[in-house]
Amino acid sequence: MEFDYLRRLVKDFSAIDIDAGKEYLADLRLSPLLPDQGCESVQELLQQLRGKSFGGVHRKVVDAMTNNETWFFRDLHPFTALGDEIIPELMKKRASDRRLAIWSAACSSGQEPYSIAMLIRDRFMIPGWSFSIRATDISTPILERAKKGIYTQMEVNRGLPAPALAKHFTKSGSQWELKSEVRDMVSFDLINLSQPWSGIPTADIVFLRNVLIYFEVDVRKRILEQVRRVLRSDGYLFLGGAETTLNLDSNFERVQFGRYACYRMKG
Ligand SMILES: C[S@@+](CC[C@H](N)C(=O)[O-])C[C@H]1O[C@@H](n2cnc3c(N)ncnc32)[C@H](O)[C@@H]1O
């Protein structure tokens, strides 16, 4: 199989480093694209793409190779820290301008930013306060899904407490649709974290969870450096359970909140 070409294609566009020896993953993820492309095998599809300049089908291949796994209130403890400690602390600090901006970078199908939105709606909707939640990802199809806010039974069974399901969703056939009052709290945009960022507004809290692990060390460093330009000096960075700033960016320090540690800038 043209696995080396596939690895390069994915890496050049998204910076995602697919491990050598993951040929089986390519077969599994790219097979569904074959009928539309009139190809009989993944090998044939990749051979066709190799001869053409980067276009829509190349993008579909990169999307298919991306891990979009996510769930509501993923790992729980980050959301406990957010609701019990971090939002209250920052609301005290922002008492004069009464605004908080949260960025969910690499938001996948929306469960992460919508979990933040539900938490804020349930606990912090105080008149006069404005909360902006911006969610971004590299994949257009996943963002289209996220914007709809429609989830399967299996997706709402993952992490979403029953009272939140009853309160914030309506049943729509066999699926669950997030109510517009929560959906409208989140805005979605396409942002490739591995390219230079432009036009990203300052944020008080950045969720950058379960995406750095797919990048090589240099890319992680570059991304963290850019996070520092976007994050307010007293703001907080949330990473995934297997991720850290340690040995990547010495400007961050780890701060423990109960059973979760997040990061803020030193000084
Ligand atoms: C495993 S999901 C994590 C979703 C969510 N943050 C969470 O923790 O549940 C990783 C997401 O990162 C996105 N992603 C991968 N490479 C990216 C890049 N270069 N720029 C922006 N997003 C990227 C993928 O499309 C995918 O939706």
Side-chain angles (χ1 to χ4, degrees):
M1 200 216 280
E2 303 249 325
F3 190 62
D4 286 343
Y5 164 71
L6 177 65
R7 284 184 78 191
R8 223 174 30 252
L9 172 70
V10 173
K11 196 165 178 180
D12 286 351
F13 183 67
S14 67
I16 295 170
D17 193 19
I18 305 174
D19 295 340
K22 289 244 171 114
E23 276 95 341
Y24 72 95
L25 203 64
D27 259 333
L28 195 75
R29 299 240 179 110
L30 300 184
S31 293
L33 303 181
L34 299 180
D36 273 1
Q37 304 312 318
C39 295
E40 304 240 308
S41 66
V42 169
Q43 170 85 353
E44 186 188 340
L45 172 68
L46 294 174
Q47 270 165 358
Q48 272 188 18
L49 292 181
R50 188 202 258 279
K52 295 181 185 155
S53 52
F54 192 89
V57 185
H58 297 80
R59 247 199 117 115
K60 279 187 186 163
V61 166
V62 177
D63 277 346
M65 291 306 298
T66 306
N67 181 345
N68 295 124
E69 190 176 24
T70 187
W71 60 93
F72 288 104
F73 296 96
R74 185 173 188 167
D75 303 336
L76 194 61
H77 304 303
F79 294 90
T80 307
L82 182 72
D84 290 355
E85 316 248 15
I86 291 173
I87 291 183
E89 176 192 316
L90 289 175
M91 283 178 83
K92 260 189 218 149
K93 290 183 171 161
R94 308 282 186 269
S96 56
D97 61 342
R98 305 191 132 220
R99 273 166 202 279
L100 274 189
I102 302 171
W103 177 24
S104 161
C107 65
S108 189
S109 38
Q111 284 91 330
E112 179 177 282
Y114 288 141
S115 300
I116 300 169
M118 285 185 268
L119 184 151
I120 289 175
R121 185 144 200 103
D122 289 347
R123 297 172 56 181
F124 300 104
M125 289 306 263
I126 298 164
W129 271 86
S130 136
F131 293 90
S132 82
I133 306 170
R134 186 156 191 256
T136 65
D137 200 277
I138 193 177
S139 162
T140 307
I142 206 81
L143 285 170
E144 288 311 315
R145 263 214 69 200
K147 277 181 206 165
K148 289 195 182 112
I150 297 176
Y151 297 96
T152 62
Q153 184 69 52
M154 212 152 82
E155 286 169 328
V156 297
N157 284 349
R158 276 190 97 184
L160 190 66
L165 180 64
K167 184 171 177 191
H168 297 298
F169 288 77
T170 48
K171 191 101 203 254
S172 163
S174 62
Q175 302 197 304
W176 291 90
E177 187 170 352
L178 192 61
K179 290 184 182 167
S180 60
E181 64 212 28
V182 178
R183 236 175 33 231
D184 293 348
M185 292 172 69
V186 182
S187 66
F188 290 94
D189 268 311
L190 193 65
I191 287 182
N192 183 346
L193 296 169
S194 71
Q195 309 278 324
W197 306 351
S198 63
I200 311 234
T202 312
D204 299 286
I205 297 166
V206 175
F207 270 63
L208 180 68
R209 303 196 63 223
N210 304 299
V211 64
L212 285 185
I213 35 169
Y214 300 108
F215 303 140
E216 286 183 333
V217 164
D218 283 357
V219 180
R220 296 181 196 184
K221 284 185 177 171
R222 240 182 16 241
I223 290 177
L224 288 172
E225 190 187 327
Q226 297 197 82
V227 168
R228 277 195 279 116
R229 287 198 220 117
V230 166
L231 190 62
R232 290 185 71 172
S233 56
D234 57 354
Y236 288 96
L237 169 66
F238 285 64
L239 297 178
E243 295 161 333
T244 175
T245 61
L246 207 72
N247 298 328
L248 294 174
D249 192 324
S250 57
N251 296 286
F252 285 100
E253 65 185 0
R254 212 175 122 96
V255 196
Q256 193 73 35
F257 289 101
R259 297 180 66 181
Y260 181 70
C262 56
Y263 297 85
R264 81 178 156 215
M265 281 179 283
K266 285 179 184 165

